[in-house]
Amino acid sequence: MARQPLVARRAEELLGSSVVATSPVAGGDIATATRLRLSSGQTALMKTLPHAPEGFFEAEVAGLAWLDEVEGGVPVPEVLAAASDCVILAWVEPGSKTPVEAAATFGQQLAATHAAGADGWGLDHDGFIGRLPLPNRTAGSWAEFYAVRRVLPYLKLARDRGAIADSDAAAVEAVVGRLTDLLPDEAPARLHGDLWNGNCLWGQDGVIHVIDPAAYGGHREVDLAMLHLFGLTHLPRVVAAYDEVAPLAEGWEDRLGVHQLFPLLVHACMFGGGYGARAGTIAARYT
């Protein structure tokens, strides 16, 4: 490991300890990730984003803290320091993705996190999904919140960016009109909010750690829908263990597509490609 002077100096300002070496970490789409070796012998991950949107890293730290409150919930890395332009986390040493036991434990932990609940549908502050603002102002029901805070804002943005065809957008709008009938009545769950496989780190300690939350109070099927949308090693075992702890409502598998509309629209806004068309195809199943 070499030493990047600017990154090391910023980390030292925040940590109050020396950085011996640094090395780049691949995989970040938004922020620049750097591995730090500290004089204490500890290893850390520093994420930096110059001119980050206001509240960007603060929202991440708040989300990690909210998830970390849950005893027996999903593990999150310790926050060592944070500022408006960066966050420094304890390093999670990557391990094998093969242990079925880790997947089962993760399912149980995710059920515990969800069961910890939230004060309402939404959160007391807005957040981010990728670099996009994530409105979290509370609503009176999940159907209302999912419509006006999740699906419709990103549908509009996707349209404005030419990332979804009119016919696909119409199919999504038709589903929004049916959300009250489609979605079961459950209490708000404590969601990670952006639970795709890239935010699930299989640690060398045999534990799956979660990172980069877009946390809020929502329907627990949202996290499960995102895991199914982008895949996760041993996902059937995760779900089976989850269901043993907190049985899922009848028909949950048939509703996965409804809760996948939001992440698909976010991806359409951010990346274009075929995500808008995919959202339209899934929406058409429910109309």
Side-chain angles (χ1 to χ4, degrees):
M1 294 172 75
R3 189 175 186 275
Q4 298 167 265
L6 293 179
V7 172
R9 191 176 307 125
R10 182 64 174 132
E12 289 170 344
E13 291 172 355
L14 295 171
L15 295 171
S17 61
S18 299
V19 174
V20 176
T22 66
S23 62
V25 177
D29 292 327
I30 307 299
T32 300
T34 305
R35 183 176 180 175
L36 311 175
R37 191 169 77 234
L38 309 180
S39 58
S40 63
Q42 184 176 15
T43 304
L45 175 73
M46 184 175 187
K47 298 197 300 181
T48 58
L49 182 62
H51 312 297
E54 183 178 355
F56 183 81
F57 286 112
E58 292 87 344
E60 178 179 348
V61 170
L64 289 169
W66 196 48
L67 297 176
D68 195 42
E69 290 176 0
V70 182
E71 185 175 354
V74 291
V76 300
E78 179 187 0
V79 178
L80 303 180
S84 60
D85 61 336
C86 64
V87 64
I88 303 175
L89 308 171
W91 179 261
V92 176
E93 187 64 32
S96 169
K97 294 185 178 182
T98 57
V100 177
E101 295 79 7
T105 299
F106 180 64
Q108 296 165 352
Q109 292 168 333
L110 183 60
T113 296
H114 287 170
D119 292 334
W121 303 109
L123 202 60
D124 59 0
H125 58 83
D126 291 340
F128 293 87
I129 186 84
R131 288 193 67 159
L132 298 177
L134 185 72
N136 284 329
R137 187 160 54 89
T138 56
S141 70
W142 173 242
E144 178 188 357
F145 182 88
Y146 191 58
V148 302
R149 305 282 184 264
R150 291 298 177 263
V151 177
L152 292 177
Y154 301 97
L155 178 61
K156 180 182 185 303
L157 183 58
R159 272 177 154 161
D160 291 345
R161 293 184 174 183
I164 189 169
D166 289 343
S167 58
D168 292 321
V172 173
E173 288 177 331
V175 173
V176 169
R178 297 194 58 221
L179 288 177
T180 301
D181 297 327
L182 288 170
L183 301 177
D185 185 21
E186 290 192 354
R190 188 169 303 210
L191 299 186
H192 176 282
D194 192 11
L195 198 61
W196 70 291
N197 59 14
N199 286 341
C200 298
L201 302 183
W202 295 69
Q204 196 176 69
D205 55 3
V207 173
I208 299 176
H209 306 252
V210 299
I211 59 170
D212 296 345
Y216 63 97
H219 201 292
R220 59 186 179 145
E221 292 175 7
V222 169
D223 276 350
L224 296 174
M226 191 168 288
L227 286 175
H228 280 80
L229 181 61
F230 296 110
L232 181 73
T233 304
H234 300 311
L235 181 55
R237 188 67 191 96
V238 172
V239 174
Y242 182 109
D243 193 52
E244 290 170 6
V245 175
L248 292 157
E250 183 179 355
W252 70 271
E253 289 176 291
D254 295 331
R255 288 187 297 273
L256 288 177
V258 176
H259 285 130
Q260 288 170 348
L261 293 178
F262 162 59
L264 285 171
L265 289 170
V266 168
H267 276 67
C269 294
M270 294 176 62
F271 307 116
Y275 289 110
R278 192 170 174 187
T281 298
I282 288 177
R285 301 176 194 165
Y286 301 94
T287 57

Coordinates of all heavy atoms in Angstrom, one line a residue, residues 184-266:
P184 N -50.8 -5.6 1.2 CA -51.4 -6.0 2.5 C -51.1 -5.0 3.6 O -50.2 -4.1 3.5 CB -50.7 -7.3 2.8 CG -49.3 -7.2 2.1 CD -49.6 -6.3 0.9
D185 N -52.0 -5.0 4.6 CA -51.9 -4.0 5.7 C -50.9 -4.6 6.7 O -51.2 -5.6 7.4 CB -53.3 -3.8 6.3 CG -53.2 -2.8 7.4 OD1 -52.3 -1.9 7.4 OD2 -54.2 -2.8 8.2
E186 N -49.8 -4.0 6.9 CA -48.8 -4.4 7.9 C -48.2 -3.1 8.6 O -48.4 -2.0 8.0 CB -47.6 -5.2 7.3 CG -48.0 -6.5 6.8 CD -46.8 -7.4 6.5 OE1 -45.6 -6.9 6.6 OE2 -46.9 -8.6 6.2
A187 N -47.7 -3.3 9.8 CA -47.0 -2.1 10.4 C -45.7 -1.8 9.7 O -45.1 -2.6 9.1 CB -46.7 -2.5 11.9
P188 N -45.3 -0.5 9.8 CA -44.0 -0.1 9.2 C -42.9 -0.9 9.7 O -42.7 -1.1 10.9 CB -43.9 1.4 9.6 CG -45.3 1.8 9.9 CD -46.0 0.6 10.5
A189 N -42.0 -1.3 8.8 CA -40.8 -2.1 9.1 C -39.6 -1.1 9.0 O -39.6 -0.1 8.4 CB -40.6 -3.2 8.2
R190 N -38.5 -1.5 9.7 CA -37.3 -0.7 9.6 C -36.5 -1.2 8.4 O -35.9 -2.3 8.5 CB -36.5 -0.8 10.9 CG -35.3 0.1 11.0 CD -34.7 0.1 12.4 NE -35.6 0.5 13.4 CZ -35.3 1.1 14.6 NH1 -34.1 1.4 14.8 NH2 -36.3 1.4 15.4
L191 N -36.5 -0.5 7.4 CA -35.9 -0.9 6.1 C -34.4 -0.4 5.9 O -34.1 0.7 6.3 CB -36.7 -0.4 4.9 CG -38.1 -0.9 4.8 CD1 -38.7 -0.4 3.5 CD2 -38.3 -2.4 4.9
H192 N -33.6 -1.3 5.3 CA -32.4 -0.8 4.8 C -32.6 0.1 3.6 O -32.0 1.2 3.5 CB -31.5 -2.0 4.3 CG -30.2 -1.7 3.7 ND1 -30.1 -1.2 2.4 CD2 -28.9 -1.7 4.1 CE1 -28.9 -1.0 2.1 NE2 -28.1 -1.2 3.1
G193 N -33.5 -0.3 2.7 CA -34.0 0.6 1.7 C -33.2 0.5 0.3 O -33.8 1.0 -0.7
D194 N -32.0 0.0 0.3 CA -31.3 -0.2 -0.9 C -30.5 -1.5 -0.9 O -29.3 -1.6 -1.1 CB -30.3 1.0 -1.1 CG -29.7 1.0 -2.5 OD1 -30.2 0.3 -3.4 OD2 -28.8 1.8 -2.7
L195 N -31.3 -2.6 -0.6 CA -30.7 -3.9 -0.2 C -30.5 -4.7 -1.4 O -31.1 -5.8 -1.6 CB -31.6 -4.6 0.8 CG -30.9 -5.7 1.6 CD1 -29.7 -5.2 2.4 CD2 -31.9 -6.4 2.5
W196 N -29.6 -4.3 -2.3 CA -29.2 -5.2 -3.4 C -27.9 -5.9 -3.0 O -27.2 -5.6 -2.0 CB -29.0 -4.4 -4.7 CG -27.9 -3.4 -4.7 CD1 -27.7 -2.3 -4.0 CD2 -26.7 -3.6 -5.6 NE1 -26.5 -1.7 -4.4 CE2 -25.9 -2.4 -5.3 CE3 -26.3 -4.5 -6.5 CZ2 -24.7 -2.2 -6.0 CZ3 -25.1 -4.3 -7.2 CH2 -24.3 -3.2 -6.9
N197 N -27.5 -6.9 -3.8 CA -26.3 -7.7 -3.4 C -25.0 -6.9 -3.2 O -24.2 -7.3 -2.5 CB -26.1 -8.9 -4.4 CG -25.9 -8.5 -5.8 OD1 -25.6 -7.3 -6.1 ND2 -26.0 -9.4 -6.7
G198 N -24.9 -5.8 -4.0 CA -23.7 -5.0 -3.8 C -23.5 -4.3 -2.5 O -22.5 -3.9 -2.1
N199 N -24.7 -4.2 -1.8 CA -24.6 -3.6 -0.4 C -24.7 -4.7 0.7 O -24.9 -4.3 1.8 CB -25.8 -2.7 -0.3 CG -25.6 -1.4 -1.0 OD1 -24.5 -1.0 -1.4 ND2 -26.7 -0.7 -1.3
C200 N -24.5 -5.9 0.3 CA -24.4 -7.0 1.3 C -22.9 -7.6 1.2 O -22.6 -8.2 0.2 CB -25.4 -8.2 0.9 SG -27.1 -7.6 1.0
L201 N -22.1 -7.3 2.2 CA -20.7 -7.7 2.2 C -20.6 -9.0 3.0 O -20.8 -9.1 4.2 CB -19.9 -6.7 2.8 CG -19.9 -5.3 2.2 CD1 -18.9 -4.3 2.9 CD2 -19.6 -5.4 0.7
W202 N -20.1 -10.1 2.3 CA -19.8 -11.3 3.0 C -18.4 -11.2 3.6 O -17.4 -11.2 3.0 CB -19.9 -12.5 2.0 CG -21.2 -12.7 1.4 CD1 -21.8 -11.9 0.5 CD2 -22.1 -13.9 1.6 NE1 -23.1 -12.5 0.2 CE2 -23.2 -13.7 0.8 CE3 -22.0 -15.0 2.4 CZ2 -24.3 -14.6 0.8 CZ3 -23.0 -15.9 2.3 CH2 -24.2 -15.7 1.6
G203 N -18.4 -11.1 5.0 CA -17.2 -10.9 5.7 C -16.4 -12.2 5.9 O -16.9 -13.3 6.0
Q204 N -15.1 -12.0 6.1 CA -14.3 -13.2 6.5 C -14.7 -13.7 7.9 O -14.3 -14.9 8.2 CB -12.8 -12.7 6.5 CG -11.8 -13.8 6.5 CD -10.4 -13.3 6.4 OE1 -9.9 -12.6 7.4 NE2 -9.7 -13.4 5.3
D205 N -15.4 -12.9 8.6 CA -15.9 -13.4 9.9 C -17.1 -14.3 9.8 O -17.7 -14.7 10.8 CB -16.2 -12.2 10.8 CG -17.2 -11.2 10.2 OD1 -17.7 -11.5 9.1 OD2 -17.5 -10.2 10.8
G206 N -17.5 -14.6 8.6 CA -18.7 -15.5 8.4 C -20.0 -14.8 8.6 O -21.0 -15.5 8.7
V207 N -20.0 -13.5 8.5 CA -21.2 -12.7 8.7 C -21.4 -11.8 7.5 O -20.5 -11.3 6.8 CB -21.0 -11.8 9.9 CG1 -22.2 -10.8 10.1 CG2 -20.9 -12.7 11.2
I208 N -22.7 -11.6 7.1 CA -23.1 -10.7 6.0 C -23.3 -9.3 6.7 O -24.2 -9.2 7.5 CB -24.3 -11.2 5.3 CG1 -24.0 -12.5 4.6 CG2 -24.7 -10.1 4.2 CD1 -25.2 -13.1 3.9
H209 N -22.5 -8.3 6.3 CA -22.7 -6.9 6.7 C -23.4 -6.1 5.7 O -23.1 -6.4 4.5 CB -21.3 -6.3 7.0 CG -20.4 -7.1 8.0 ND1 -20.2 -6.7 9.3 CD2 -19.8 -8.3 7.8 CE1 -19.4 -7.6 9.8 NE2 -19.1 -8.6 9.0
V210 N -24.2 -5.2 6.1 CA -24.8 -4.3 5.1 C -24.3 -2.9 5.1 O -23.9 -2.4 6.2 CB -26.4 -4.3 5.3 CG1 -26.9 -5.7 5.1 CG2 -26.8 -3.7 6.6
I211 N -24.2 -2.3 4.0 CA -23.6 -0.9 3.8 C -24.6 -0.1 3.0 O -25.6 -0.6 2.5 CB -22.3 -1.0 3.2 CG1 -22.4 -1.6 1.8 CG2 -21.3 -1.7 4.0 CD1 -21.1 -1.5 0.9
D212 N -24.3 1.2 2.9 CA -25.0 2.2 2.0 C -26.5 2.1 2.2 O -27.2 2.0 1.2 CB -24.5 1.9 0.6 CG -23.1 2.2 0.3 OD1 -22.4 2.8 1.2 OD2 -22.6 1.8 -0.7
P213 N -27.0 2.3 3.3 CA -28.5 2.2 3.5 C -29.2 3.5 2.9 O -28.6 4.5 2.8 CB -28.7 2.1 5.0 CG -27.5 2.8 5.6 CD -26.4 2.5 4.6
A214 N -30.4 3.3 2.5 CA -31.3 4.4 2.2 C -32.5 4.2 3.1 O -33.6 4.0 2.7 CB -31.7 4.4 0.7
A215 N -32.3 4.2 4.4 CA -33.2 3.7 5.4 C -34.4 4.6 5.6 O -34.4 5.8 5.5 CB -32.5 3.6 6.8
Y216 N -35.5 3.9 5.9 CA -36.8 4.6 6.3 C -37.8 3.6 6.7 O -37.5 2.3 6.7 CB -37.4 5.3 5.0 CG -37.7 4.4 3.9 CD1 -39.0 4.0 3.7 CD2 -36.7 4.0 3.0 CE1 -39.3 3.2 2.6 CE2 -37.1 3.2 1.9 CZ -38.4 2.8 1.7 OH -38.7 2.0 0.7
G217 N -38.9 4.0 7.2 CA -40.0 3.1 7.6 C -40.9 2.7 6.4 O -41.5 3.6 5.8
G218 N -40.9 1.5 6.1 CA -41.7 1.1 4.9 C -42.1 -0.4 5.0 O -42.0 -1.0 6.1
H219 N -42.6 -0.9 3.9 CA -43.1 -2.3 3.9 C -41.9 -3.2 3.8 O -41.1 -3.0 2.9 CB -44.1 -2.5 2.7 CG -45.0 -3.7 2.9 ND1 -44.5 -5.0 2.9 CD2 -46.3 -3.8 3.2 CE1 -45.5 -5.8 3.1 NE2 -46.6 -5.1 3.3
R220 N -41.9 -4.3 4.6 CA -40.7 -5.2 4.6 C -40.5 -5.9 3.3 O -39.4 -6.3 3.0 CB -40.9 -6.2 5.8 CG -42.1 -7.1 5.7 CD -42.3 -7.9 6.9 NE -43.5 -8.7 6.9 CZ -43.5 -10.0 7.4 NH1 -42.5 -10.5 7.9 NH2 -44.6 -10.7 7.3
E221 N -41.5 -6.0 2.5 CA -41.4 -6.7 1.2 C -40.5 -5.9 0.3 O -40.0 -6.5 -0.7 CB -42.7 -7.0 0.6 CG -43.5 -8.0 1.4 CD -44.9 -8.3 0.8 OE1 -45.3 -7.7 -0.2 OE2 -45.7 -9.0 1.5
V222 N -40.3 -4.6 0.6 CA -39.4 -3.8 -0.3 C -38.0 -4.3 -0.3 O -37.3 -4.5 -1.4 CB -39.4 -2.3 0.1 CG1 -38.3 -1.5 -0.6 CG2 -40.8 -1.7 -0.1
D223 N -37.4 -4.6 0.9 CA -36.1 -5.1 1.0 C -36.0 -6.5 0.3 O -35.0 -6.8 -0.4 CB -35.6 -5.2 2.4 CG -35.1 -3.9 3.0 OD1 -34.9 -3.0 2.2 OD2 -34.9 -3.9 4.2
L224 N -37.0 -7.3 0.5 CA -36.9 -8.6 -0.1 C -37.1 -8.6 -1.6 O -36.4 -9.3 -2.4 CB -38.1 -9.5 0.5 CG -37.9 -9.8 2.0 CD1 -39.2 -10.5 2.5 CD2 -36.7 -10.6 2.3
A225 N -37.9 -7.6 -2.1 CA -38.1 -7.4 -3.5 C -36.8 -7.0 -4.2 O -36.4 -7.5 -5.3 CB -39.1 -6.4 -3.8
M226 N -36.0 -6.2 -3.5 CA -34.7 -5.7 -4.1 C -33.7 -6.8 -4.1 O -32.9 -7.0 -5.1 CB -34.2 -4.5 -3.4 CG -33.0 -3.8 -4.1 SD -32.5 -2.2 -3.5 CE -33.9 -1.2 -4.0
L227 N -33.7 -7.7 -3.1 CA -32.8 -8.8 -3.1 C -33.1 -9.8 -4.2 O -32.2 -10.3 -4.9 CB -32.9 -9.6 -1.7 CG -32.2 -8.9 -0.5 CD1 -32.5 -9.7 0.7 CD2 -30.7 -8.8 -0.7
H228 N -34.4 -9.9 -4.5 CA -34.8 -10.8 -5.6 C -34.5 -10.2 -7.0 O -34.2 -10.9 -7.9 CB -36.3 -11.2 -5.5 CG -36.6 -12.3 -4.5 ND1 -36.7 -12.0 -3.1 CD2 -36.8 -13.6 -4.7 CE1 -36.9 -13.1 -2.5 NE2 -37.0 -14.1 -3.4
L229 N -34.6 -8.9 -7.0 CA -34.4 -8.2 -8.3 C -33.0 -8.3 -8.8 O -32.7 -8.6 -10.0 CB -34.8 -6.7 -8.2 CG -34.6 -5.8 -9.4 CD1 -35.6 -6.3 -10.5 CD2 -34.9 -4.4 -9.1
F230 N -32.0 -8.2 -7.9 CA -30.6 -8.2 -8.3 C -29.8 -9.4 -7.9 O -28.7 -9.6 -8.1 CB -29.9 -6.9 -7.8 CG -30.5 -5.7 -8.5 CD1 -31.2 -4.8 -7.7 CD2 -30.3 -5.4 -9.8 CE1 -31.7 -3.6 -8.3 CE2 -30.8 -4.3 -10.4 CZ -31.5 -3.4 -9.6
G231 N -30.5 -10.3 -7.1 CA -29.9 -11.6 -6.7 C -29.0 -11.5 -5.5 O -28.5 -10.5 -5.2
L232 N -28.9 -12.6 -4.8 CA -28.0 -12.8 -3.7 C -27.7 -14.2 -3.5 O -28.6 -15.1 -3.7 CB -28.7 -12.2 -2.4 CG -27.8 -12.3 -1.1 CD1 -26.7 -11.2 -1.2 CD2 -28.6 -12.1 0.1
T233 N -26.4 -14.5 -3.3 CA -26.0 -15.9 -3.1 C -26.9 -16.6 -2.0 O -27.1 -15.9 -0.9 CB -24.6 -16.0 -2.7 OG1 -23.8 -15.4 -3.7 CG2 -24.1 -17.5 -2.6
H234 N -27.4 -17.8 -2.2 CA -28.2 -18.5 -1.2 C -29.5 -17.7 -0.8 O -29.9 -17.8 0.3 CB -27.4 -18.8 0.0 CG -26.2 -19.7 -0.2 ND1 -26.2 -20.8 -0.9 CD2 -24.9 -19.5 0.2 CE1 -25.0 -21.4 -1.0 NE2 -24.2 -20.6 -0.3
L235 N -30.0 -16.9 -1.7 CA -31.2 -16.2 -1.4 C -32.4 -17.0 -0.9 O -33.1 -16.6 0.1 CB -31.7 -15.3 -2.6 CG -32.9 -14.4 -2.3 CD1 -32.7 -13.5 -1.1 CD2 -33.2 -13.6 -3.6
P236 N -32.7 -18.2 -1.5 CA -33.8 -19.0 -0.9 C -33.5 -19.4 0.5 O -34.5 -19.4 1.3 CB -33.7 -20.3 -1.8 CG -33.1 -19.8 -3.1 CD -32.1 -18.8 -2.7
R237 N -32.3 -19.6 0.9 CA -32.0 -19.9 2.4 C -32.2 -18.7 3.2 O -32.7 -18.8 4.4 CB -30.6 -20.4 2.5 CG -30.3 -20.9 3.9 CD -31.2 -22.2 4.2 NE -31.2 -22.6 5.6 CZ -32.1 -22.3 6.5 NH1 -33.1 -21.5 6.1 NH2 -32.1 -22.7 7.7
V238 N -31.9 -17.5 2.7 CA -32.1 -16.2 3.4 C -33.6 -16.1 3.7 O -34.1 -15.8 4.8 CB -31.6 -15.0 2.6 CG1 -32.0 -13.7 3.3 CG2 -30.1 -15.1 2.5
V239 N -34.4 -16.3 2.7 CA -35.9 -16.1 2.8 C -36.5 -17.1 3.7 O -37.4 -16.8 4.5 CB -36.5 -16.1 1.4 CG1 -38.0 -16.0 1.5 CG2 -36.0 -14.9 0.6
A240 N -36.0 -18.4 3.6 CA -36.6 -19.4 4.4 C -36.3 -19.1 5.9 O -37.2 -19.3 6.7 CB -36.0 -20.8 4.0
A241 N -35.1 -18.7 6.2 CA -34.8 -18.4 7.6 C -35.6 -17.2 8.1 O -36.0 -17.1 9.2 CB -33.3 -18.1 7.7
Y242 N -35.7 -16.2 7.2 CA -36.6 -15.0 7.5 C -38.0 -15.4 7.8 O -38.6 -15.0 8.9 CB -36.6 -14.0 6.3 CG -37.3 -12.8 6.5 CD1 -36.6 -11.6 6.7 CD2 -38.7 -12.7 6.6 CE1 -37.3 -10.4 6.9 CE2 -39.4 -11.6 6.8 CZ -38.7 -10.4 6.9 OH -39.4 -9.2 7.2
D243 N -38.6 -16.3 7.0 CA -40.0 -16.7 7.1 C -40.2 -17.5 8.4 O -41.3 -17.5 9.0 CB -40.4 -17.5 5.9 CG -41.9 -17.7 5.8 OD1 -42.6 -16.6 5.9 OD2 -42.3 -18.8 5.6
E244 N -39.2 -18.2 8.8 CA -39.3 -19.0 10.1 C -39.4 -18.1 11.3 O -40.1 -18.4 12.2 CB -38.0 -19.9 10.2 CG -38.0 -21.0 9.3 CD -36.6 -21.8 9.3 OE1 -35.8 -21.4 10.2 OE2 -36.4 -22.7 8.5
V245 N -38.7 -16.9 11.2 CA -38.7 -16.0 12.3 C -40.0 -15.1 12.2 O -40.6 -14.8 13.2 CB -37.5 -15.1 12.3 CG1 -37.5 -14.0 13.4 CG2 -36.2 -16.0 12.5
A246 N -40.3 -14.6 11.0 CA -41.3 -13.6 10.8 C -42.1 -14.0 9.6 O -41.8 -13.5 8.5 CB -40.8 -12.2 10.7
P247 N -43.1 -14.9 9.7 CA -43.8 -15.4 8.5 C -44.3 -14.3 7.6 O -44.9 -13.3 8.1 CB -44.9 -16.2 9.1 CG -44.4 -16.6 10.4 CD -43.6 -15.5 10.9
L248 N -44.0 -14.4 6.3 CA -44.5 -13.4 5.3 C -45.9 -13.6 5.0 O -46.5 -14.7 5.1 CB -43.6 -13.6 4.1 CG -42.1 -13.2 4.3 CD1 -41.2 -13.8 3.2 CD2 -42.0 -11.7 4.2
A249 N -46.5 -12.5 4.6 CA -48.0 -12.5 4.3 C -48.2 -13.3 3.0 O -47.4 -13.3 2.1 CB -48.5 -11.1 4.1
E250 N -49.4 -13.9 3.0 CA -49.7 -14.8 1.9 C -49.7 -13.9 0.6 O -50.1 -12.8 0.5 CB -51.2 -15.3 2.0 CG -51.6 -16.2 0.9 CD -53.0 -16.8 1.2 OE1 -53.6 -16.5 2.2 OE2 -53.5 -17.5 0.3
G251 N -49.1 -14.5 -0.5 CA -49.0 -13.9 -1.8 C -47.8 -12.9 -1.9 O -47.7 -12.2 -2.9
W252 N -46.8 -13.0 -1.0 CA -45.7 -12.0 -1.0 C -44.9 -12.2 -2.3 O -44.4 -11.2 -2.8 CB -44.8 -12.2 0.2 CG -44.0 -13.5 0.3 CD1 -44.4 -14.7 0.8 CD2 -42.7 -13.7 -0.2 NE1 -43.4 -15.6 0.7 CE2 -42.4 -15.0 0.0 CE3 -41.8 -12.9 -0.9 CZ2 -41.1 -15.6 -0.3 CZ3 -40.6 -13.4 -1.3 CH2 -40.3 -14.7 -1.0
E253 N -44.7 -13.4 -2.7 CA -43.9 -13.6 -4.0 C -44.6 -13.0 -5.2 O -43.9 -12.5 -6.1 CB -43.7 -15.1 -4.2 CG -42.8 -15.8 -3.2 CD -42.6 -17.2 -3.4 OE1 -43.6 -18.0 -3.1 OE2 -41.5 -17.7 -3.8
D254 N -45.9 -13.0 -5.2 CA -46.7 -12.4 -6.3 C -46.6 -10.9 -6.3 O -46.8 -10.3 -7.3 CB -48.1 -12.8 -6.3 CG -48.3 -14.3 -6.5 OD1 -47.5 -15.0 -7.2 OD2 -49.3 -14.9 -5.9
R255 N -46.3 -10.3 -5.1 CA -46.2 -8.9 -5.0 C -44.7 -8.3 -5.2 O -44.5 -7.1 -5.2 CB -46.7 -8.4 -3.6 CG -48.2 -8.5 -3.5 CD -48.6 -7.9 -2.1 NE -48.0 -8.6 -1.0 CZ -48.6 -9.7 -0.4 NH1 -49.7 -10.2 -0.9 NH2 -48.0 -10.3 0.6
L256 N -43.8 -9.2 -5.4 CA -42.4 -8.8 -5.5 C -42.3 -7.7 -6.6 O -41.6 -6.7 -6.5 CB -41.5 -9.9 -5.8 CG -41.2 -10.9 -4.6 CD1 -40.3 -12.0 -5.1 CD2 -40.5 -10.1 -3.5
G257 N -42.9 -8.0 -7.7 CA -42.9 -7.0 -8.9 C -43.4 -5.7 -8.5 O -42.8 -4.7 -9.0
V258 N -44.4 -5.6 -7.7 CA -44.9 -4.2 -7.3 C -43.8 -3.4 -6.6 O -43.6 -2.3 -6.9 CB -46.2 -4.4 -6.4 CG1 -46.6 -3.0 -5.9 CG2 -47.3 -5.1 -7.1
H259 N -43.1 -4.1 -5.7 CA -42.1 -3.4 -5.0 C -40.8 -3.3 -5.7 O -39.9 -2.6 -5.2 CB -41.9 -4.1 -3.6 CG -43.0 -3.8 -2.6 ND1 -43.7 -4.7 -1.9 CD2 -43.6 -2.6 -2.3 CE1 -44.6 -4.2 -1.2 NE2 -44.6 -2.9 -1.4
Q260 N -40.7 -3.9 -6.9 CA -39.5 -3.7 -7.7 C -39.6 -2.5 -8.6 O -38.6 -2.1 -9.2 CB -39.2 -5.0 -8.5 CG -38.7 -6.2 -7.6 CD -38.7 -7.5 -8.4 OE1 -39.3 -7.6 -9.5 NE2 -38.0 -8.5 -7.8
L261 N -40.8 -2.0 -8.8 CA -41.0 -0.8 -9.7 C -40.1 0.3 -9.2 O -39.5 1.0 -10.0 CB -42.5 -0.4 -9.7 CG -43.4 -1.4 -10.3 CD1 -44.8 -0.9 -10.3 CD2 -43.0 -1.7 -11.8
F262 N -40.1 0.6 -7.9 CA -39.3 1.7 -7.4 C -37.8 1.6 -7.8 O -37.2 2.5 -8.4 CB -39.5 1.8 -5.9 CG -38.4 2.6 -5.2 CD1 -38.2 4.0 -5.5 CD2 -37.7 2.1 -4.2 CE1 -37.2 4.7 -4.9 CE2 -36.7 2.8 -3.5 CZ -36.5 4.1 -3.9
P263 N -37.1 0.5 -7.4 CA -35.7 0.4 -7.8 C -35.4 0.4 -9.3 O -34.4 0.9 -9.8 CB -35.2 -0.9 -7.1 CG -36.4 -1.7 -6.8 CD -37.5 -0.7 -6.6
L264 N -36.4 -0.2 -10.1 CA -36.2 -0.2 -11.5 C -36.3 1.2 -12.1 O -35.5 1.6 -13.0 CB -37.3 -1.1 -12.2 CG -37.0 -2.6 -12.0 CD1 -38.2 -3.4 -12.5 CD2 -35.8 -3.0 -12.8
L265 N -37.2 2.0 -11.5 CA -37.3 3.4 -12.0 C -36.1 4.2 -11.6 O -35.7 5.1 -12.3 CB -38.6 4.0 -11.4 CG -39.9 3.5 -12.0 CD1 -41.1 4.0 -11.3 CD2 -40.0 3.9 -13.5
V266 N -35.6 4.0 -10.4 CA -34.4 4.7 -9.9 C -33.2 4.4 -10.9 O -32.5 5.3 -11.3 CB -34.0 4.3 -8.5 CG1 -32.6 4.7 -8.2 CG2 -35.0 4.9 -7.5

